[in-house]
Amino acid sequence: QVQLVESGGGLVQPGGSLRLSCAASGSGFSNNAMKWYRQAPGKQRDFVAAIGSGGTTNYADSVKGRFTISRDNAKNMVYLQMNSLKPEDTAVYYCYTQILSGSYWGQGTQVTVSS
């Protein structure tokens, strides 16, 4: 069983920064790829970024160069550093992982980019 808890969301002005955190419970965290998704009101949930067990990263085109995903295996944590935020980045951000026993989502954290 895996539990994912996101934090760090909030209200930020365009051009600002936020760092999201995802705390993961359960063993074997370091072996799992971790991903961030986001869902804006009335839209589907979209991929944002991923980090493999070895640290390889992948990003959606819309966030490349602005967002950075990282992980701390000693703390079972995944982070999403978001810079140069735009109003279109407004969404609920979710942490996600998939292991043999199934797929797991966090409860989400709201990010609002507005002046």
Side-chain angles (χ1 to χ4, degrees):
Q1 189 75 8
V2 173
Q3 281 191 317
L4 303 173
V5 179
E6 302 96 335
S7 61
L11 173 64
V12 63
Q13 292 186 342
S17 298
L18 280 176
R19 188 176 85 150
L20 305 184
S21 300
C22 173
S25 66
S27 61
F29 170 81
S30 61
N31 297 324
N32 301 338
M34 300 296 298
K35 298 181 180 181
W36 286 96
Y37 284 78
R38 67 186 181 186
Q39 188 167 18
K43 296 188 176 181
Q44 66 181 21
R45 193 170 295 188
D46 290 329
F47 169 77
V48 175
I51 186 165
S53 57
T56 302
T57 58
N58 187 32
Y59 298 92
D61 288 343
S62 58
V63 307
K64 279 181 183 176
R66 300 188 298 122
F67 291 11
T68 303
I69 189 172
S70 61
R71 65 191 299 162
D72 184 337
N73 290 335
K75 296 181 179 179
N76 280 16
M77 296 290 295
V78 179
Y79 305 100
L80 186 68
Q81 177 67 43
M82 306 186 296
N83 299 328
S84 302
L85 282 161
K86 305 174 181 180
E88 52 263 43
D89 295 317
T90 295
V92 178
Y93 284 71
Y94 297 91
C95 187
Y96 169 86
T97 191
Q98 184 176 23
I99 59 177
L100 288 176
S101 63
S103 300
Y104 297 91
W105 294 92
Q107 84 289 350
T109 185
Q110 175 71 47
V111 172
T112 302
V113 184
S114 176
S115 55

